[in-house]
Amino acid sequence: MGDSLAHDAGPRLDPGAFATLVVTEAEDRVAVQLNRPAVRNAIDVQMVEELHAVCTHLEQTPKVLILSGIAGDEGAGTKGIFASGADIAQLRERRRGDALAGINSGLFDRIARLPMPVIAALDGYALGGGAELAYAADFRIGTRALRMGQPETSLGIMAAAGATWRLKELVGEPVAKQMLLAGRILTGEGCLAVGLITELVESAELMAAAHGLAERIGLQDPLAVQATKRVFHAPREAHPEVDNREQAELFESPAKFERMQAFLDRRKK
């Protein structure tokens, strides 16, 4: 999968430890496929717990994370699914205490805060909690088959795992309100038009595009990427002090001297 971001020799995730995810780890990235095709990759409590385990690993060993949905069986109507939302059977039984516990919102916030970038590769349905999971990513690549939206109000609840504020930041208030309050579902082309995805590809090219983006990230200095992500998400009042502090650390890093010297050496040729 290309040059390593970390060239780590540390512990790896055990693929056999996951029942709702298919996990593939390389030196510079972890690819995670949501794997509940019989229910269109609906996010249940077990999947939440397993995604938390992935986060724990990536917080300790920073790597790019690629999120996608298992392709499934076209005959069963599950081909091209990211996540159809939270598991409605479980959601129906949740009460006040479950909402206050922030089961999905806590996970998605943790994913958004991972040290290295997160790429969501979106095909087919990305609805409800599935869409909110995608909003937590740093990059979203979609296909023409993508259908993204927030149907929660039709079920008597609200989108409470990040959509009410992340979506407004991503696409602006008018489109966000259409999706949140009127149930508008965006196509892949519609997502591209409003900036909800940054790239539109054919379904067969989706994973290659996601890994290609991971390759480009891998060409950057990992410490500089992590610092930039932290500063990007810092509150406005933290600037410019947070920029200066992070830059001060990078100015002393060995990679800064090595990469700048390599640049100067190439220019001399």
Side-chain angles (χ1 to χ4, degrees):
M1 291 186 180
D3 290 340
S4 168
L5 287 174
H7 296 285
D8 67 288
R12 296 287 183 95
L13 289 164
D14 175 12
F18 301 94
T20 70
L21 307 175
V22 175
V23 177
T24 306
E25 184 169 7
E27 288 185 341
D28 65 343
R29 74 198 71 163
V30 173
V32 170
Q33 291 179 293
L34 310 184
N35 183 31
R36 300 186 71 218
V39 288
R40 297 186 173 184
N41 296 333
I43 301 169
D44 67 350
V45 170
Q46 184 173 1
M47 184 181 287
V48 168
E49 292 175 351
E50 292 183 4
L51 286 168
H52 272 299
V54 172
C55 288
T56 296
H57 177 68
L58 292 176
E59 287 162 355
Q60 297 168 351
T61 308
K63 299 182 181 185
V64 171
L65 172 61
I66 299 175
L67 292 169
S68 65
I70 203 78
D73 179 4
E74 187 172 13
T78 57
K79 183 176 177 61
I81 301 290
F82 179 68
S84 59
D87 190 301
I88 300 298
Q90 289 188 0
L91 203 58
R92 182 183 180 278
E93 302 306 315
R94 291 181 186 173
R95 305 301 292 266
R96 176 185 179 88
D98 298 304
L100 294 175
I103 295 171
N104 286 357
S105 62
L107 169 65
F108 299 165
D109 191 56
R110 190 177 185 185
I111 288 172
R113 294 175 184 273
L114 286 173
M116 290 295 289
V118 178
I119 301 168
L122 307 171
D123 194 22
Y125 293 117
L127 299 173
E132 290 179 297
L133 172 58
Y135 304 154
D138 299 286
F139 301 94
R140 284 163 297 280
I141 301 173
T143 71
R144 298 184 188 281
L146 174 62
R147 298 295 182 269
M148 185 171 258
Q150 303 297 152
E152 284 88 348
T153 54
S154 72
L155 298 171
I157 59 173
M158 61 174 280
T164 54
W165 54 280
R166 284 198 179 100
L167 191 53
K168 180 167 60 176
E169 293 176 353
L170 290 168
V171 301
E173 184 174 317
V175 174
K177 283 185 174 178
Q178 289 178 5
M179 296 174 71
L180 290 163
L181 304 179
R184 180 182 177 186
I185 304 295
L186 296 180
T187 64
E189 289 86 350
C191 289
L192 183 67
V194 300
L196 193 50
I197 61 174
T198 55
E199 189 175 353
L200 184 68
V201 300
E202 300 300 329
S203 295
E205 302 168 356
L206 178 60
M207 294 314 298
H211 283 286
L213 176 55
E215 295 282 356
R216 295 195 293 277
I217 296 170
L219 295 175
Q220 317 308 311
D221 173 53
L223 292 180
V225 170
Q226 292 174 52
T228 301
K229 181 174 176 177
R230 285 193 297 271
V231 171
F232 187 92
H233 290 290
R236 177 63 184 88
E237 60 270 18
H239 301 283
E241 288 79 8
V242 65
D243 307 65
N244 297 339
R245 289 197 303 270
E246 293 284 359
Q247 188 76 299
E249 294 295 323
L250 292 173
F251 271 10
E252 300 297 329
S253 71
K256 172 248 189 176
F257 293 99
E258 294 169 4
R259 285 172 173 263
M260 289 191 176
Q261 188 60 53
F263 173 85
L264 294 172
D265 292 344
R266 289 193 301 271
R267 195 169 66 176
K268 291 177 182 178
K269 293 179 181 180

